[in-house]
Amino acid sequence: MEINSEVYISKSIKKYIGADLISCKLLGKGANGSVYRADISAEPYVLAIKVTNYSEMLANEVFALNYINGRVDILLPKVFFSHIANDDIPINVLGMTYLYGVGGNKINWLFAGKKKREAFKRQVIDNLIKLRDVTNEKFGYVDNACFESWIDFYRPFAKARLDYMSSLQNKGNVALCVEETLTRAYGILDRVLNDCGKPTLTHGDYWLPNFVVDKKTKEFVGCVDPFNIMYADAEYELFALMQFGYLRLYELYKKSVPTSKYCDLKSRMYALFSEVYWCEILGNSIDALKYMKGMAKVLKIELDKAGM
């Protein structure tokens, strides 16, 4: 636990809920913060508490949770309070519904049983389809969705990622491979993104580690950590379902919903541009670059198959 985190978690709960902290347990650490279970003296009696160094990311998560919860029930936590670090409580804190379960990546799905595994997969996809039903007239981040077409919004994002890879100093063969594939993908954006349908609300990080699963029943309890929510191409965040491919969530989605001609190509392309974005935020380690090289190879295969 971070230095004094429990003290300041206690102070924030007292300030915003008027309850005493009974116990506090670290549940895990992620790229942008630590999550705790807090047992408290008043309703709701148990909270999930996130502590992060990134105040802007915390504010964005609060906004995203409230925005999505106000439009559709996809089993996201409810926000009880949030606090941006100040002199009195010098940590960024988010208090929200505690979802009883573990991250989906913590389950040994091979031994979960086919019936439970298939039921979980169905719940995950049906939940995403509910989110897909929330649409808008224009594309873009939800607080400024002003783009008539998806490509008008996405092209600057993709160009910024390509420029970042091009700017890396002393890049070796790994980064060069990624840059070359990004350049090739960027050149065909007009062909594959010319008709992306109605702007569709995204979760932004809809993948297995963010799915909360009941350890005993293996039921889908909820999802967490929405990120950079926007009205996008309905197929924009499907690449996240390709991760942990042994569950074949992406394939189940494609069986459940009509998809576009270039769905596989777009998903691989979105995945690589997104990975570069995360490298910009978190740093471009050698391991990260090697991982992106693998993604670039897979995207190249899709580009070759499409004759692009």
Side-chain angles (χ1 to χ4, degrees):
M1 184 176 293
E2 296 98 332
I3 296 174
N4 290 329
S5 284
E6 186 168 346
V7 171
Y8 294 122
I9 288 171
S10 178
K11 289 188 71 172
S12 65
I13 290 170
K14 189 70 171 180
K15 177 177 180 178
Y16 293 102
I17 296 184
D20 296 320
L21 177 65
I22 297 172
S23 65
C24 190
K25 178 183 178 182
L26 176 66
L27 299 177
K29 294 185 176 183
N32 68 339
S34 300
V35 178
Y36 303 85
R37 169 178 169 149
D39 290 84
I40 63 176
S41 63
E43 291 185 353
Y45 298 110
V46 182
L47 288 171
I49 299 289
K50 175 176 279 189
V51 177
T52 175
N53 292 325
Y54 304 102
S55 59
E56 185 175 353
M57 292 184 76
L58 182 136
N60 288 341
E61 182 172 355
V62 170
F63 174 79
L65 287 168
N66 288 334
Y67 189 94
I68 297 175
N69 281 333
R71 287 157 179 80
V72 63
D73 180 10
I74 59 165
L75 303 177
L76 284 170
K78 170 189 172 184
V79 175
F80 284 94
F81 71 88
S82 63
H83 172 84
I84 301 300
N86 58 20
D87 290 341
D88 184 41
I89 303 175
I91 58 173
N92 304 302
V93 189
L94 169 59
M96 52 193 163
T97 309
Y98 182 81
L99 300 179
Y100 289 85
V102 297
N105 59 316
K106 302 293 179 60
I107 300 291
N108 188 332
W109 290 105
L110 182 64
F111 296 101
K114 182 176 180 180
K115 186 175 181 180
K116 289 182 179 180
R117 184 169 59 247
E118 294 304 312
F120 164 76
K121 290 165 58 178
R122 185 73 264 165
Q123 291 166 339
V124 166
I125 298 306
D126 287 347
N127 203 51
L128 182 58
I129 291 171
K130 283 169 64 178
L131 183 62
R132 176 184 165 135
D133 288 339
V134 182
T135 60
N136 194 47
E137 291 305 313
K138 295 186 178 182
F139 294 94
Y141 294 115
V142 297
D143 57 348
N144 186 33
C146 59
F147 294 86
E148 296 293 339
S149 69
W150 169 240
I151 193 168
D152 286 343
F153 171 79
Y154 190 75
R155 193 198 311 273
F157 172 87
K159 183 62 165 60
R161 310 295 74 82
L162 177 56
D163 290 345
Y164 170 78
M165 288 304 300
S166 300
S167 73
L168 293 182
Q169 297 298 312
N170 302 317
K171 54 178 174 282
N173 291 334
V174 173
L176 189 60
C177 171
V178 175
E179 181 188 353
E180 289 174 349
T181 307
L182 287 175
T183 300
R184 187 174 167 189
Y186 184 79
I188 53 91
L189 289 182
D190 285 307
R191 293 176 63 182
V192 298
L193 302 184
N194 63 345
D195 183 12
C196 292
K198 201 164 181 62
T200 300
L201 186 60
T202 67
H203 172 280
D205 206 11
Y206 198 77
W207 73 317
L208 192 63
N210 285 340
F211 303 153
V212 181
V213 184
D214 184 290
K215 287 202 295 186
K216 182 177 180 180
T217 67
K218 307 301 185 290
E219 290 185 356
F220 177 74
V221 175
C223 54
V224 297
D225 290 349
F227 178 76
N228 273 356
I229 61 172
M230 65 182 78
Y231 286 103
D233 173 4
E235 295 171 349
Y236 176 62
E237 61 183 343
L238 297 186
F239 69 86
L241 298 179
M242 291 176 161
Q243 305 297 318
F244 303 91
Y246 56 85
L247 281 176
R248 301 185 68 79
L249 289 168
Y250 176 76
E251 289 77 7
L252 180 57
Y253 180 90
K254 288 183 68 178
K255 289 179 181 178
S256 305
V257 175
T259 55
S260 70
K261 175 182 178 181
Y262 295 121
C263 184
D264 293 348
L265 171 56
K266 288 194 298 180
S267 294
R268 294 298 184 184
M269 181 184 72
Y270 289 145
L272 185 55
F273 278 110
S274 177
E275 194 65 25
V276 174
Y277 175 71
W278 278 107
C279 273
E280 289 181 65
I281 294 175
L282 302 176
N284 49 72
S285 66
I286 295 299
D287 287 342
L289 289 172
K290 288 181 178 179
Y291 180 65
M292 285 196 293
K293 182 179 180 181
M295 297 176 73
K297 288 181 176 180
V298 176
L299 174 55
K300 185 177 182 297
I301 292 171
E302 291 296 334
L303 289 165
D304 290 342
K305 283 166 58 177
M308 298 181 184

